[in-house]
Amino acid sequence: MTVTTSSLPIPAPREDGRRRKARRTREALAAAALELVLRDGPDEVTVAAIADRADVARRTFSRYFGSKEEAALDFVREDGSRINALLRERPAAEPPLVAYRRAVACWLTDRDTPASHHRPGIRALLALLDGDPALFGAYQRIRVDAQAESVAIVAARLGVDATRDPRPAVAVDSAAAVLTAALRMWAGSAAVAGPEGPDGPDGPEGLDDLTALVERSYDALMAEAAHAAGHEAESARRK
Amino acid sequence: MTVTTSSLPIPAPREDGRRRKARRTREALAAAALELVLRDGPDEVTVAAIADRADVARRTFSRYFGSKEEAALDFVREDGSRINALLRERPAAEPPLVAYRRAVACWLTDRDTPASHHRPGIRALLALLDGDPALFGAYQRIRVDAQAESVAIVAARLGVDATRDPRPAVAVDSAAAVLTAALRMWAGSAAVAGPEGPDGPDGPEGLDDLTALVERSYDALMAEAAHAAGHEAESARRK
């Protein structure tokens, strides 16, 4: 078998021993927090139990996370950083909505840095959000911060000031809202259908396939916007 | 002067004495919470001080609100209810994005039931959100709940099941994201410019005029979507 250079995974930036150790500690704490929150419910989990499970001291936890919710949602925060890294790499010719949509598609299908939606726990975690105010607040904080970074990236692409020109925020926030809506439907369909779904692993009407659902949702945004623009042009013509 | 029936304000549903008293108590508590949160900062305000200011007993507060943040943000919750009531009244022929946009425009310009953005405190309150986790969480809760209701209204208009068809959530969440982005810019421009703005009451580039900013933001969404659809059609053609 011949492996061409271009098919090799892009090497990650060099990481010294200390950074690698810090990254692994963070990952161990996040994995322990997610596992315990899903097993026992967010209210029952303590920071001490998370630290214990990750085999680190209690005070080590506070060096990485401000709360157990933040730790359990660290994979969601990573998704946001990954989407923003991919957004920065999109060709300058792509309009903001296209660039955001394609960054999301790359994140969902990347095999080298798997998106957290491959982790079965993430879907269950998203389904828990609505019932737990602290988890909900932490999730919204992560979402709003990631979107603020996306707005800055898009403003730089367009060469405009995002505090005066609404275009970067409008493009990012509507594109991100479509992703969030798709994630909510995806989490909700699992909650309704159970882990295997009523029709087997693919669930009802393919809602279990997040990548297909996200594509369908972006297509719906384009169709809705075209429909709205057509309607507004027609009502302006009639006046 | 002749007043035709259709130009008269729609009468509010009849309210008996007990309901009217409950509404007034709620309004007094919400106004007191907003005033104290803005004067002293969210951390310094107690439920007891809010009840005292509104001239009701401490236990009365708990009958209306779960927290001081919920009380201070009650005007935001009312805005959501009002937008949803107006969305229900939009003609069936309007596409969802148009219906939502026009419901928002009616809410912003209605003189009979003034939107809370006429209250100077609301802008200062929105500018406080990012720095206060409890206020931020309560705001996101109100926003998400109002949008869930909008999604149900749009799904009923379209005659589809919103748990399986992404169109209602995509239309509502993107349209609501545009409004939220405009509100954030509006609050931010006041924070930067001060109450009177550097160029007087209208502020820099008209950002102080929320109605104009919201219209400009919806126009930006339509333009971005058309730009994106054109780009995607072009890249599909080249393949």
Short mmCIF file of all heavy atoms in Angstrom, two decimals, chain A residues 95-96 98 101-102 130 136 140-141 143 163-164 166 170 173-174 177 181 184-185 204-205 207 216-217 221 224-225 228 231-232 235, chain B residues 95-96 98 101-102 130 136 140-141 143 163-164 166 170 173-174 177 181 184-185 204-205 207 216-217 221 224-225 227-228 231-232 235:
data_model
loop_
_atom_site.label_atom_id
_atom_site.label_comp_id
_atom_site.label_asym_id
_atom_site.label_seq_id
_atom_site.Cartn_x
_atom_site.Cartn_y
_atom_site.Cartn_z
N PRO A 95 -18.53 33.47 1.29
CA PRO A 95 -19.36 34.37 2.12
C PRO A 95 -19.43 33.81 3.55
O PRO A 95 -19.31 32.59 3.74
CB PRO A 95 -20.73 34.30 1.46
CG PRO A 95 -20.51 33.75 0.08
CD PRO A 95 -19.29 32.89 0.17
N PRO A 96 -19.60 34.68 4.57
CA PRO A 96 -19.57 34.21 5.97
C PRO A 96 -20.47 33.01 6.28
O PRO A 96 -20.03 32.08 6.95
CB PRO A 96 -20.02 35.45 6.75
CG PRO A 96 -19.61 36.60 5.91
CD PRO A 96 -19.73 36.14 4.49
N VAL A 98 -21.47 30.65 4.29
CA VAL A 98 -20.90 29.45 3.66
C VAL A 98 -19.67 28.99 4.44
O VAL A 98 -19.50 27.80 4.73
CB VAL A 98 -20.51 29.73 2.19
CG1 VAL A 98 -19.81 28.53 1.57
CG2 VAL A 98 -21.75 30.10 1.37
N ARG A 101 -20.81 27.37 7.71
CA ARG A 101 -21.43 26.08 7.42
C ARG A 101 -20.38 25.02 7.08
O ARG A 101 -20.46 23.89 7.54
CB ARG A 101 -22.41 26.26 6.25
CG ARG A 101 -23.03 24.97 5.78
CD ARG A 101 -23.91 25.18 4.56
NE ARG A 101 -24.52 23.89 4.23
CZ ARG A 101 -25.60 23.74 3.49
NH1 ARG A 101 -26.19 24.78 2.96
NH2 ARG A 101 -26.10 22.54 3.25
N ARG A 102 -19.38 25.41 6.27
CA ARG A 102 -18.37 24.43 5.87
C ARG A 102 -17.41 24.10 7.01
O ARG A 102 -16.93 22.98 7.11
CB ARG A 102 -17.65 24.91 4.62
CG ARG A 102 -18.65 24.96 3.46
CD ARG A 102 -18.02 25.06 2.11
NE ARG A 102 -19.08 25.14 1.10
CZ ARG A 102 -18.89 25.51 -0.16
NH1 ARG A 102 -17.68 25.81 -0.59
NH2 ARG A 102 -19.91 25.55 -1.00
N ASP A 130 -31.73 21.21 29.70
CA ASP A 130 -32.92 21.99 30.01
C ASP A 130 -33.38 21.85 31.46
O ASP A 130 -33.96 22.77 32.01
CB ASP A 130 -34.07 21.61 29.07
CG ASP A 130 -34.28 22.70 28.03
OD1 ASP A 130 -33.48 23.66 28.02
OD2 ASP A 130 -35.24 22.61 27.26
N PHE A 136 -27.22 24.39 32.27
CA PHE A 136 -27.77 25.22 31.20
C PHE A 136 -27.00 26.54 31.08
O PHE A 136 -26.59 26.95 29.98
CB PHE A 136 -29.26 25.48 31.50
CG PHE A 136 -29.93 26.42 30.53
CD1 PHE A 136 -30.46 25.95 29.35
CD2 PHE A 136 -30.04 27.78 30.83
CE1 PHE A 136 -31.09 26.81 28.46
CE2 PHE A 136 -30.66 28.64 29.95
CZ PHE A 136 -31.19 28.15 28.76
N GLN A 140 -24.69 27.83 27.90
CA GLN A 140 -24.96 29.09 27.21
C GLN A 140 -23.73 29.98 27.22
O GLN A 140 -23.44 30.67 26.24
CB GLN A 140 -26.16 29.81 27.83
CG GLN A 140 -27.47 29.04 27.71
CD GLN A 140 -27.94 28.86 26.27
OE1 GLN A 140 -27.57 29.61 25.36
NE2 GLN A 140 -28.75 27.84 26.02
N ARG A 141 -22.99 29.97 28.34
CA ARG A 141 -21.76 30.77 28.44
C ARG A 141 -20.75 30.32 27.38
O ARG A 141 -20.15 31.13 26.68
CB ARG A 141 -21.20 30.58 29.86
CG ARG A 141 -19.94 31.35 30.19
CD ARG A 141 -20.24 32.80 30.49
NE ARG A 141 -20.03 33.63 29.35
CZ ARG A 141 -20.49 34.88 29.23
NH1 ARG A 141 -21.20 35.44 30.18
NH2 ARG A 141 -20.26 35.58 28.16
N ARG A 143 -21.38 28.67 24.62
CA ARG A 143 -21.94 28.97 23.30
C ARG A 143 -21.73 30.46 22.95
O ARG A 143 -21.24 30.77 21.85
CB ARG A 143 -23.45 28.65 23.33
CG ARG A 143 -24.18 28.77 22.01
CD ARG A 143 -25.69 28.62 22.18
NE ARG A 143 -26.28 29.66 23.00
CZ ARG A 143 -26.47 30.93 22.63
NH1 ARG A 143 -26.14 31.32 21.43
NH2 ARG A 143 -26.99 31.82 23.46
N THR A 163 -18.60 46.10 16.10
CA THR A 163 -19.42 46.84 17.06
C THR A 163 -20.30 47.88 16.36
O THR A 163 -21.20 48.45 16.97
CB THR A 163 -18.57 47.56 18.14
OG1 THR A 163 -17.77 48.57 17.50
CG2 THR A 163 -17.67 46.59 18.88
N ARG A 164 -20.03 48.13 15.06
CA ARG A 164 -20.81 49.12 14.31
C ARG A 164 -21.55 48.53 13.13
O ARG A 164 -22.57 49.07 12.69
CB ARG A 164 -19.89 50.23 13.80
CG ARG A 164 -19.45 51.15 14.93
CD ARG A 164 -18.30 52.05 14.51
NE ARG A 164 -17.96 52.91 15.64
CZ ARG A 164 -18.39 54.16 15.77
NH1 ARG A 164 -19.16 54.71 14.86
NH2 ARG A 164 -18.07 54.87 16.82
N PRO A 166 -23.59 45.38 11.61
CA PRO A 166 -24.26 44.17 12.12
C PRO A 166 -23.96 42.89 11.33
O PRO A 166 -24.28 41.80 11.79
CB PRO A 166 -25.76 44.52 12.03
CG PRO A 166 -25.87 45.60 11.01
CD PRO A 166 -24.55 46.34 11.01
N VAL A 170 -24.75 39.02 12.57
CA VAL A 170 -25.95 38.45 11.95
C VAL A 170 -25.60 37.12 11.26
O VAL A 170 -26.29 36.11 11.44
CB VAL A 170 -26.56 39.46 10.95
CG1 VAL A 170 -27.52 38.78 9.99
CG2 VAL A 170 -27.27 40.57 11.73
N ASP A 173 -24.36 34.52 14.16
CA ASP A 173 -25.37 34.12 15.13
C ASP A 173 -26.49 33.33 14.47
O ASP A 173 -27.03 32.39 15.07
CB ASP A 173 -25.91 35.33 15.90
CG ASP A 173 -24.85 35.90 16.84
OD1 ASP A 173 -23.75 35.31 16.95
OD2 ASP A 173 -25.10 36.94 17.47
N SER A 174 -26.85 33.67 13.23
CA SER A 174 -27.90 32.88 12.57
C SER A 174 -27.34 31.51 12.17
O SER A 174 -28.01 30.49 12.35
CB SER A 174 -28.50 33.63 11.38
OG SER A 174 -27.50 33.97 10.45
N ALA A 177 -27.10 29.50 15.27
CA ALA A 177 -28.44 29.14 15.76
C ALA A 177 -28.95 27.90 15.02
O ALA A 177 -29.62 27.06 15.62
CB ALA A 177 -29.40 30.31 15.58
N ALA A 181 -29.93 24.51 16.87
CA ALA A 181 -31.26 23.92 16.69
C ALA A 181 -31.13 22.45 16.27
O ALA A 181 -31.85 21.59 16.77
CB ALA A 181 -32.06 24.71 15.65
N ARG A 184 -30.08 20.35 19.22
CA ARG A 184 -31.20 20.16 20.16
C ARG A 184 -32.15 19.09 19.65
O ARG A 184 -32.61 18.23 20.41
CB ARG A 184 -31.92 21.50 20.35
CG ARG A 184 -32.75 21.59 21.62
CD ARG A 184 -33.35 22.98 21.78
NE ARG A 184 -34.15 23.34 20.63
CZ ARG A 184 -34.02 24.47 19.95
NH1 ARG A 184 -33.14 25.37 20.31
NH2 ARG A 184 -34.79 24.72 18.91
N MET A 185 -32.46 19.12 18.34
CA MET A 185 -33.33 18.08 17.76
C MET A 185 -32.68 16.70 17.88
O MET A 185 -33.35 15.71 18.18
CB MET A 185 -33.55 18.35 16.26
CG MET A 185 -34.64 19.35 15.97
SD MET A 185 -34.92 19.47 14.18
CE MET A 185 -35.86 17.97 13.88
N PRO A 204 -35.70 7.62 14.06
CA PRO A 204 -36.79 8.04 13.20
C PRO A 204 -36.34 9.08 12.18
O PRO A 204 -35.69 10.06 12.55
CB PRO A 204 -37.80 8.63 14.18
CG PRO A 204 -37.00 9.03 15.37
CD PRO A 204 -35.82 8.13 15.42
N GLU A 205 -36.66 8.85 10.93
CA GLU A 205 -36.37 9.81 9.85
C GLU A 205 -34.93 10.31 9.85
O GLU A 205 -34.66 11.47 9.54
CB GLU A 205 -37.34 11.00 9.93
CG GLU A 205 -38.77 10.57 9.66
CD GLU A 205 -39.74 11.75 9.70
OE1 GLU A 205 -39.29 12.90 9.55
OE2 GLU A 205 -40.93 11.49 9.85
N LEU A 207 -32.92 11.25 12.13
CA LEU A 207 -32.52 12.32 13.03
C LEU A 207 -31.26 11.96 13.80
O LEU A 207 -30.61 12.82 14.37
CB LEU A 207 -33.64 12.65 14.01
CG LEU A 207 -34.84 13.38 13.43
CD1 LEU A 207 -35.85 13.68 14.52
CD2 LEU A 207 -34.43 14.68 12.76
N ARG A 216 -29.27 19.35 6.29
CA ARG A 216 -30.69 19.61 6.01
C ARG A 216 -31.13 20.93 6.64
O ARG A 216 -31.93 21.69 6.06
CB ARG A 216 -31.49 18.45 6.63
CG ARG A 216 -32.76 18.06 5.92
CD ARG A 216 -33.27 16.76 6.56
NE ARG A 216 -34.62 16.90 7.05
CZ ARG A 216 -35.15 16.17 8.04
NH1 ARG A 216 -34.43 15.24 8.65
NH2 ARG A 216 -36.40 16.36 8.40
N SER A 217 -30.60 21.23 7.82
CA SER A 217 -30.98 22.45 8.52
C SER A 217 -30.41 23.68 7.82
O SER A 217 -31.09 24.71 7.70
CB SER A 217 -30.51 22.39 9.97
OG SER A 217 -31.12 21.28 10.63
N LEU A 221 -32.39 26.85 6.08
CA LEU A 221 -32.16 28.28 6.28
C LEU A 221 -32.12 29.01 4.93
O LEU A 221 -32.75 30.06 4.76
CB LEU A 221 -30.85 28.53 7.05
CG LEU A 221 -30.45 30.02 7.19
CD1 LEU A 221 -31.47 30.81 8.03
CD2 LEU A 221 -29.05 30.16 7.80
N GLU A 224 -35.64 29.10 3.50
CA GLU A 224 -36.50 30.03 4.24
C GLU A 224 -36.16 31.48 3.88
O GLU A 224 -37.05 32.32 3.70
CB GLU A 224 -36.32 29.84 5.76
CG GLU A 224 -36.90 28.55 6.34
CD GLU A 224 -38.41 28.44 6.20
OE1 GLU A 224 -39.10 29.48 6.17
OE2 GLU A 224 -38.90 27.31 6.09
N ALA A 225 -34.85 31.77 3.79
CA ALA A 225 -34.43 33.14 3.47
C ALA A 225 -34.86 33.52 2.05
O ALA A 225 -35.33 34.64 1.82
CB ALA A 225 -32.92 33.28 3.65
N ALA A 228 -38.58 34.11 2.11
CA ALA A 228 -38.87 35.39 2.77
C ALA A 228 -38.54 36.55 1.83
O ALA A 228 -39.33 37.50 1.70
CB ALA A 228 -38.08 35.49 4.07
N HIS A 231 -41.14 36.84 -0.86
CA HIS A 231 -42.39 37.38 -0.31
C HIS A 231 -42.28 38.90 -0.11
O HIS A 231 -43.20 39.65 -0.43
CB HIS A 231 -42.71 36.70 1.01
CG HIS A 231 -44.00 37.15 1.63
ND1 HIS A 231 -45.19 36.51 1.41
CD2 HIS A 231 -44.27 38.19 2.45
CE1 HIS A 231 -46.14 37.15 2.07
NE2 HIS A 231 -45.61 38.16 2.72
N GLU A 232 -41.13 39.36 0.41
CA GLU A 232 -40.96 40.79 0.67
C GLU A 232 -40.88 41.58 -0.62
O GLU A 232 -41.43 42.69 -0.70
CB GLU A 232 -39.75 41.03 1.57
CG GLU A 232 -39.97 40.36 2.94
CD GLU A 232 -39.19 40.97 4.08
OE1 GLU A 232 -38.05 41.39 3.86
OE2 GLU A 232 -39.74 41.00 5.20
N SER A 235 -44.47 41.83 -1.85
CA SER A 235 -45.33 42.80 -1.16
C SER A 235 -44.88 44.23 -1.44
O SER A 235 -45.72 45.13 -1.48
CB SER A 235 -45.45 42.53 0.35
OG SER A 235 -44.34 41.92 0.90
N PRO B 95 -44.23 33.87 5.00
CA PRO B 95 -43.24 32.85 5.37
C PRO B 95 -42.77 33.10 6.80
O PRO B 95 -42.78 34.25 7.27
CB PRO B 95 -42.10 33.09 4.37
CG PRO B 95 -42.68 33.91 3.26
CD PRO B 95 -43.79 34.70 3.88
N PRO B 96 -42.34 32.04 7.53
CA PRO B 96 -41.96 32.18 8.94
C PRO B 96 -40.99 33.32 9.23
O PRO B 96 -41.19 34.09 10.18
CB PRO B 96 -41.34 30.83 9.28
CG PRO B 96 -42.00 29.87 8.36
CD PRO B 96 -42.28 30.62 7.09
N VAL B 98 -40.49 36.09 7.60
CA VAL B 98 -41.18 37.37 7.43
C VAL B 98 -42.12 37.61 8.61
O VAL B 98 -42.17 38.71 9.17
CB VAL B 98 -41.96 37.40 6.10
CG1 VAL B 98 -42.77 38.68 5.97
CG2 VAL B 98 -41.02 37.24 4.91
N ARG B 101 -40.07 38.52 11.69
CA ARG B 101 -39.51 39.86 11.52
C ARG B 101 -40.58 40.94 11.72
O ARG B 101 -40.35 41.96 12.38
CB ARG B 101 -38.91 39.97 10.11
CG ARG B 101 -38.41 41.34 9.79
CD ARG B 101 -37.89 41.44 8.36
NE ARG B 101 -37.34 42.78 8.17
CZ ARG B 101 -36.52 43.13 7.21
NH1 ARG B 101 -36.15 42.25 6.30
NH2 ARG B 101 -36.07 44.36 7.12
N ARG B 102 -41.78 40.70 11.16
CA ARG B 102 -42.83 41.72 11.28
C ARG B 102 -43.44 41.76 12.67
O ARG B 102 -43.85 42.82 13.15
CB ARG B 102 -43.89 41.49 10.19
CG ARG B 102 -43.25 41.75 8.82
CD ARG B 102 -44.23 41.93 7.71
NE ARG B 102 -43.50 42.09 6.44
CZ ARG B 102 -44.05 41.97 5.25
NH1 ARG B 102 -45.34 41.69 5.13
NH2 ARG B 102 -43.32 42.11 4.16
N ASP B 130 -23.32 40.15 30.60
CA ASP B 130 -22.11 39.35 30.41
C ASP B 130 -21.27 39.19 31.66
O ASP B 130 -20.58 38.19 31.82
CB ASP B 130 -21.26 39.96 29.29
CG ASP B 130 -21.37 39.12 28.03
OD1 ASP B 130 -22.19 38.17 28.03
OD2 ASP B 130 -20.64 39.40 27.06
N PHE B 136 -27.04 36.35 33.56
CA PHE B 136 -26.82 35.79 32.23
C PHE B 136 -27.63 34.49 32.05
O PHE B 136 -28.34 34.31 31.06
CB PHE B 136 -25.32 35.51 32.05
CG PHE B 136 -24.96 34.82 30.77
CD1 PHE B 136 -24.79 35.55 29.60
CD2 PHE B 136 -24.80 33.43 30.72
CE1 PHE B 136 -24.46 34.91 28.41
CE2 PHE B 136 -24.47 32.80 29.53
CZ PHE B 136 -24.31 33.53 28.38
N GLN B 140 -30.76 33.84 29.45
CA GLN B 140 -30.73 32.77 28.44
C GLN B 140 -31.95 31.86 28.60
O GLN B 140 -32.52 31.40 27.62
CB GLN B 140 -29.43 31.96 28.55
CG GLN B 140 -28.18 32.78 28.22
CD GLN B 140 -28.13 33.27 26.78
OE1 GLN B 140 -28.76 32.72 25.89
NE2 GLN B 140 -27.38 34.35 26.55
N ARG B 141 -32.35 31.61 29.86
CA ARG B 141 -33.53 30.77 30.13
C ARG B 141 -34.77 31.41 29.50
O ARG B 141 -35.58 30.75 28.84
CB ARG B 141 -33.68 30.63 31.65
CG ARG B 141 -34.81 29.75 32.13
CD ARG B 141 -34.47 28.28 31.99
NE ARG B 141 -35.02 27.70 30.80
CZ ARG B 141 -34.65 26.52 30.30
NH1 ARG B 141 -33.72 25.81 30.86
NH2 ARG B 141 -35.20 26.06 29.22
N ARG B 143 -34.89 33.63 27.09
CA ARG B 143 -34.73 33.63 25.63
C ARG B 143 -35.08 32.26 25.04
O ARG B 143 -35.86 32.16 24.10
CB ARG B 143 -33.27 34.00 25.32
CG ARG B 143 -32.94 34.18 23.85
CD ARG B 143 -31.44 34.32 23.62
NE ARG B 143 -30.66 33.16 24.02
CZ ARG B 143 -30.63 32.01 23.34
NH1 ARG B 143 -31.32 31.85 22.24
NH2 ARG B 143 -29.92 31.00 23.79
N THR B 163 -40.44 18.36 16.12
CA THR B 163 -39.41 17.45 16.64
C THR B 163 -38.80 16.62 15.51
O THR B 163 -37.79 15.96 15.70
CB THR B 163 -39.95 16.49 17.72
OG1 THR B 163 -40.93 15.61 17.12
CG2 THR B 163 -40.59 17.24 18.87
N ARG B 164 -39.43 16.64 14.32
CA ARG B 164 -38.91 15.87 13.20
C ARG B 164 -38.51 16.72 12.01
O ARG B 164 -37.67 16.33 11.20
CB ARG B 164 -39.96 14.84 12.73
CG ARG B 164 -40.12 13.71 13.72
CD ARG B 164 -41.35 12.87 13.46
NE ARG B 164 -41.42 11.78 14.40
CZ ARG B 164 -40.97 10.54 14.15
NH1 ARG B 164 -40.46 10.24 12.97
NH2 ARG B 164 -41.03 9.60 15.05
N PRO B 166 -36.88 20.19 10.70
CA PRO B 166 -36.06 21.28 11.25
C PRO B 166 -36.53 22.69 10.87
O PRO B 166 -36.06 23.67 11.45
CB PRO B 166 -34.66 21.00 10.68
CG PRO B 166 -34.86 20.18 9.47
CD PRO B 166 -36.17 19.42 9.66
N VAL B 170 -35.30 26.23 12.65
CA VAL B 170 -34.31 26.96 11.86
C VAL B 170 -34.79 28.39 11.59
O VAL B 170 -34.04 29.35 11.78
CB VAL B 170 -34.02 26.20 10.53
CG1 VAL B 170 -33.34 27.10 9.51
CG2 VAL B 170 -33.17 24.97 10.82
N ASP B 173 -35.10 30.27 15.22
CA ASP B 173 -33.85 30.48 15.94
C ASP B 173 -32.93 31.43 15.18
O ASP B 173 -32.22 32.23 15.80
CB ASP B 173 -33.16 29.15 16.25
CG ASP B 173 -33.95 28.35 17.30
OD1 ASP B 173 -34.94 28.87 17.82
OD2 ASP B 173 -33.57 27.21 17.58
N SER B 174 -32.94 31.37 13.84
CA SER B 174 -32.10 32.32 13.10
C SER B 174 -32.70 33.72 13.18
O SER B 174 -31.97 34.70 13.38
CB SER B 174 -31.88 31.87 11.66
OG SER B 174 -33.11 31.70 11.00
N ALA B 177 -32.02 35.01 16.59
CA ALA B 177 -30.58 35.30 16.75
C ALA B 177 -30.25 36.68 16.19
O ALA B 177 -29.41 37.39 16.74
CB ALA B 177 -29.74 34.22 16.07
N ALA B 181 -28.69 39.63 18.38
CA ALA B 181 -27.45 40.28 17.97
C ALA B 181 -27.64 41.80 17.93
O ALA B 181 -26.78 42.56 18.39
CB ALA B 181 -27.00 39.76 16.61
N ARG B 184 -27.76 43.19 21.44
CA ARG B 184 -26.44 43.20 22.05
C ARG B 184 -25.62 44.40 21.54
O ARG B 184 -24.95 45.08 22.30
CB ARG B 184 -25.73 41.88 21.74
CG ARG B 184 -24.60 41.54 22.69
CD ARG B 184 -24.02 40.17 22.38
NE ARG B 184 -23.58 40.09 20.99
CZ ARG B 184 -23.91 39.10 20.15
NH1 ARG B 184 -24.69 38.12 20.54
NH2 ARG B 184 -23.45 39.11 18.92
N MET B 185 -25.70 44.66 20.22
CA MET B 185 -25.00 45.82 19.65
C MET B 185 -25.53 47.11 20.24
O MET B 185 -24.77 48.04 20.55
CB MET B 185 -25.19 45.88 18.13
CG MET B 185 -24.25 44.99 17.37
SD MET B 185 -24.48 45.25 15.57
CE MET B 185 -23.64 46.83 15.35
N PRO B 204 -23.43 56.82 17.81
CA PRO B 204 -22.62 56.64 16.61
C PRO B 204 -23.38 55.84 15.55
O PRO B 204 -23.94 54.79 15.84
CB PRO B 204 -21.42 55.83 17.13
CG PRO B 204 -21.90 55.15 18.37
CD PRO B 204 -22.99 56.00 18.94
N GLU B 205 -23.41 56.36 14.34
CA GLU B 205 -24.01 55.66 13.20
C GLU B 205 -25.40 55.11 13.48
O GLU B 205 -25.78 54.06 12.97
CB GLU B 205 -23.09 54.52 12.73
CG GLU B 205 -21.78 55.07 12.16
CD GLU B 205 -20.85 53.98 11.67
OE1 GLU B 205 -21.34 52.88 11.38
OE2 GLU B 205 -19.66 54.26 11.56
N LEU B 207 -26.73 53.64 15.96
CA LEU B 207 -26.90 52.38 16.69
C LEU B 207 -27.89 52.54 17.84
O LEU B 207 -28.40 51.56 18.35
CB LEU B 207 -25.57 51.89 17.23
CG LEU B 207 -24.58 51.34 16.20
CD1 LEU B 207 -23.33 50.85 16.92
CD2 LEU B 207 -25.20 50.21 15.40
N ARG B 216 -32.09 46.91 9.76
CA ARG B 216 -30.82 46.77 9.05
C ARG B 216 -30.26 45.35 9.23
O ARG B 216 -29.68 44.78 8.31
CB ARG B 216 -29.84 47.79 9.67
CG ARG B 216 -28.81 48.36 8.75
CD ARG B 216 -28.10 49.50 9.49
NE ARG B 216 -26.67 49.29 9.55
CZ ARG B 216 -25.87 49.81 10.48
NH1 ARG B 216 -26.38 50.57 11.46
NH2 ARG B 216 -24.58 49.59 10.46
N SER B 217 -30.45 44.79 10.42
CA SER B 217 -29.93 43.46 10.71
C SER B 217 -30.71 42.39 9.94
O SER B 217 -30.12 41.44 9.42
CB SER B 217 -29.98 43.19 12.22
OG SER B 217 -29.18 44.14 12.90
N LEU B 221 -29.37 39.75 7.08
CA LEU B 221 -29.59 38.29 7.02
C LEU B 221 -30.02 37.87 5.62
O LEU B 221 -29.49 36.91 5.06
CB LEU B 221 -30.64 37.85 8.05
CG LEU B 221 -31.03 36.35 7.98
CD1 LEU B 221 -29.84 35.44 8.32
CD2 LEU B 221 -32.21 36.03 8.90
N GLU B 224 -27.04 38.20 3.28
CA GLU B 224 -26.04 37.15 3.53
C GLU B 224 -26.51 35.82 2.98
O GLU B 224 -25.73 35.06 2.38
CB GLU B 224 -25.78 37.00 5.04
CG GLU B 224 -25.02 38.15 5.71
CD GLU B 224 -23.60 38.33 5.19
OE1 GLU B 224 -22.99 37.34 4.73
OE2 GLU B 224 -23.13 39.47 5.20
N ALA B 225 -27.80 35.49 3.20
CA ALA B 225 -28.34 34.21 2.72
C ALA B 225 -28.32 34.17 1.20
O ALA B 225 -27.96 33.14 0.60
CB ALA B 225 -29.74 33.99 3.27
N HIS B 227 -26.33 35.85 -0.80
CA HIS B 227 -24.91 35.78 -1.17
C HIS B 227 -24.41 34.33 -1.04
O HIS B 227 -23.76 33.78 -1.94
CB HIS B 227 -24.14 36.74 -0.26
CG HIS B 227 -22.69 36.92 -0.63
ND1 HIS B 227 -21.79 37.53 0.19
CD2 HIS B 227 -22.00 36.57 -1.73
CE1 HIS B 227 -20.60 37.54 -0.38
NE2 HIS B 227 -20.69 36.97 -1.56
N ALA B 228 -24.75 33.69 0.09
CA ALA B 228 -24.33 32.31 0.34
C ALA B 228 -24.95 31.36 -0.69
O ALA B 228 -24.26 30.49 -1.24
CB ALA B 228 -24.74 31.90 1.76
N HIS B 231 -23.19 31.74 -3.98
CA HIS B 231 -21.86 31.13 -3.94
C HIS B 231 -21.96 29.61 -4.05
O HIS B 231 -21.21 28.96 -4.78
CB HIS B 231 -21.17 31.51 -2.64
CG HIS B 231 -19.78 30.98 -2.51
ND1 HIS B 231 -18.67 31.67 -2.93
CD2 HIS B 231 -19.31 29.78 -2.04
CE1 HIS B 231 -17.58 30.94 -2.70
NE2 HIS B 231 -17.95 29.80 -2.16
N GLU B 232 -22.93 29.02 -3.33
CA GLU B 232 -23.06 27.55 -3.35
C GLU B 232 -23.53 27.05 -4.71
O GLU B 232 -23.07 26.00 -5.17
CB GLU B 232 -23.99 27.09 -2.21
CG GLU B 232 -23.37 27.46 -0.87
CD GLU B 232 -23.82 26.58 0.29
OE1 GLU B 232 -24.99 26.16 0.29
OE2 GLU B 232 -22.99 26.31 1.18
N SER B 235 -20.45 27.17 -6.90
CA SER B 235 -19.47 26.08 -6.70
C SER B 235 -20.03 24.74 -7.16
O SER B 235 -19.28 23.89 -7.64
CB SER B 235 -18.92 26.01 -5.26
OG SER B 235 -19.79 26.53 -4.32
#
